[in-house]
Amino acid sequence: MAMSIQQYLAEHREQHLSQLLDFLRIPSVSTSSKHKPDVRKAAEWLADTMKQAGIENVKIMETEGHPVVYGDWLHAPGKPTALVYGHYDVQPAEPLDLWETPPFEPEIRDNKIFARGATDDKAQLYLHIKAVEAYLNAEGSLPVNIKFCFEGEEEIASPNLSPFLEKHREMLKAEMIVISDGPMYSREQPSICIGLRGLCGFEIEVKGPRSDLHSGLYGGGVANPITALIQLVASMRNEDGSIAVEGFYDHVSAPSEAIRKSYEALQDNEQKTADELGVPKLYGEAGYSFMERTTLRPTLELNGILGGYQGEGIKTVLPSSALAKMSCRLVDQQDPDEIFDLIEAHIEKHKPEGVTVQLIRRDRGKPYTIAPDHPYIEAAAKAYEAGFGQKPVFIQSGGSIPIVEVFSRLLNAPVVMLDLGLPGENMHAPNEHFHLENYDKGLITICSFWDEVHSQG
């Protein structure tokens, strides 16, 4: 990265931080109808800021919900085109009484910016705009072509983004998609996420008698839906922690040697993790470490269970129904619809007598992975080393961002996750914040990444 770019960023740092605080003051909570004008205001603020940075063809594009903000700079002939994605909407701030300072009155303290949306995703998105501004002001051009696609519905599962991508596929066409919307492994150890688990969420409803029954008059003679539900859920797990649903692992390959070695280098202390979580021992599929279980392997978890009397004291009834809320995290080539079918077949085979059982299909999303030796990932690794002074490790995330796989599939391009947040920055929680150390290092990393991609061709 040229010294002139570093000088520009240093000279304008306070101005840029002040501008970021203005962005964070906008309560762009996408899930709340009362904040719809604020989400629009954030989109307009973003469009104006992009224009000021020198980004061209900036426009606010309507969807069935909140708008998408688009812009581009396409004057690097023969060089790759990148599509930078981010989201300008934020989570609700409640509970407000747990915030040390108001969530939409950003404050810098302890070298951190505290505000809702600070790390997820306004600061990380903003860094990409400032990197472009620095290039254009210091060098007069960018080393690559860049398009921007910023949405206002990520925190409500992006219901209108897939149709938008389908409709504007030609406009958004690029050789890669770049996303900065998550944390690195740690403050001391930068990382590159090369995979996200997929997701399928569902409910299992068990019905028995028409209404609750007196447990003295009917207990022992009529099937109890809660008992039946517990038996059914228990049948889905083996004693060694593996999942007992027939065919569940059919499209799951063993983790690559490269990713397992990368994990070994992190030297996770599992007992320390157990102590921090307040549990006597960690649990999971035999033959895998805690980190491998929570990122590389699929899961089936019971998230909630409802049924019977929930009030104070005891009410001696035999309940008429019970409900389990469950989810699976998926890896490799697992498809959520196929997993739904396998679970439905398991239910049919194992359901207890005397009750009826229904599977209600909810959330779904496919897993995404990219090889650590992909040229753009290698470019990202060099960029992190330039920005943070240390080589990154390759990790896979235990979480799910379904839109990543959708981007890759619809635009037929790899996704590079250039995450610049840190664990513990209270994403989605009170006192969300973003480290200014990563603000500065993140800018160097982004600029270095574009230089590395330029040098590749």
Side-chain angles (χ1 to χ4, degrees), residues 50-234:
M50 291 165 67
K51 292 174 185 175
Q52 292 168 17
I55 297 166
E56 302 173 346
N57 302 311
V58 176
K59 47 191 172 183
I60 296 174
M61 304 183 71
E62 303 303 328
T63 73
E64 292 296 316
H66 299 302
V68 169
V69 183
Y70 174 84
D72 60 39
W73 190 94
L74 305 174
H75 303 293
K79 295 301 176 181
T81 298
L83 175 68
V84 176
Y85 163 83
H87 66 92
Y88 61 87
D89 64 321
V90 301
Q91 282 276 322
E94 288 80 3
L96 298 178
D97 60 321
L98 296 182
W99 286 79
E100 292 183 22
T101 51
F104 296 108
E105 296 177 20
E107 180 177 296
I108 296 177
R109 62 179 187 273
D110 301 326
N111 207 34
K112 306 166 190 172
I113 300 177
F114 285 82
R116 171 55 87 228
T119 189
D120 181 25
D121 176 42
K122 286 183 174 178
Q124 298 198 57
L125 172 161
Y126 182 76
L127 291 176
H128 283 279
I129 298 173
K130 294 295 110 175
V132 167
E133 180 183 313
Y135 264 110
L136 293 179
N137 280 274
E139 302 292 322
S141 64
L142 301 181
V144 296
N145 302 292
I146 303 179
K147 299 176 179 180
F148 296 90
C149 176
F150 297 141
E151 71 155 324
E153 297 186 335
E154 194 272 348
E155 299 294 4
I156 53 173
S158 304
N160 293 294
L161 189 56
S162 290
F164 182 88
L165 296 178
E166 290 269 17
K167 183 177 180 180
H168 300 286
R169 194 181 304 200
E170 188 63 30
M171 179 187 77
L172 299 171
K173 185 169 63 174
E175 276 74 53
M176 78 179 88
I177 298 101
V178 176
I179 300 176
S180 300
D181 186 22
M184 306 185 313
Y185 179 73
S186 71
R187 189 172 183 176
E188 298 77 23
Q189 178 60 70
S191 61
I192 298 177
C193 178
I194 59 170
L196 295 159
R197 292 197 287 192
L199 171 70
C200 64
F202 56 95
E203 295 171 348
I204 299 176
E205 185 176 40
V206 179
K207 291 185 177 181
R210 288 192 199 91
S211 64
D212 291 358
L213 301 175
H214 190 293
S215 66
L217 298 179
Y218 293 95
V222 177
N224 186 313
I226 296 179
T227 303
L229 179 61
I230 291 170
Q231 291 170 340
L232 187 54
V233 171

Side-chain angles (χ1 to χ4, degrees), residues 157 186 281 284 288 298 326 424 451:
S186 71
K281 187 178 180 181
Y288 296 94
M326 303 185 70
D451 284 341

Side-chain angles (χ1 to χ4, degrees), residues 433-444:
H433 56 277
F434 186 72
H435 286 68
L436 290 184
E437 181 181 359
N438 275 35
Y439 175 94
D440 296 316
K441 292 179 177 180
L443 281 167
I444 295 173

Side-chain angles (χ1 to χ4, degrees), residues 299-315:
T299 68
L300 186 150
E301 295 294 342
L302 179 60
N303 307 130
I305 190 164
L306 306 170
Y309 177 63
Q310 303 291 319
E312 185 178 356
I314 295 175
K315 182 181 181 183

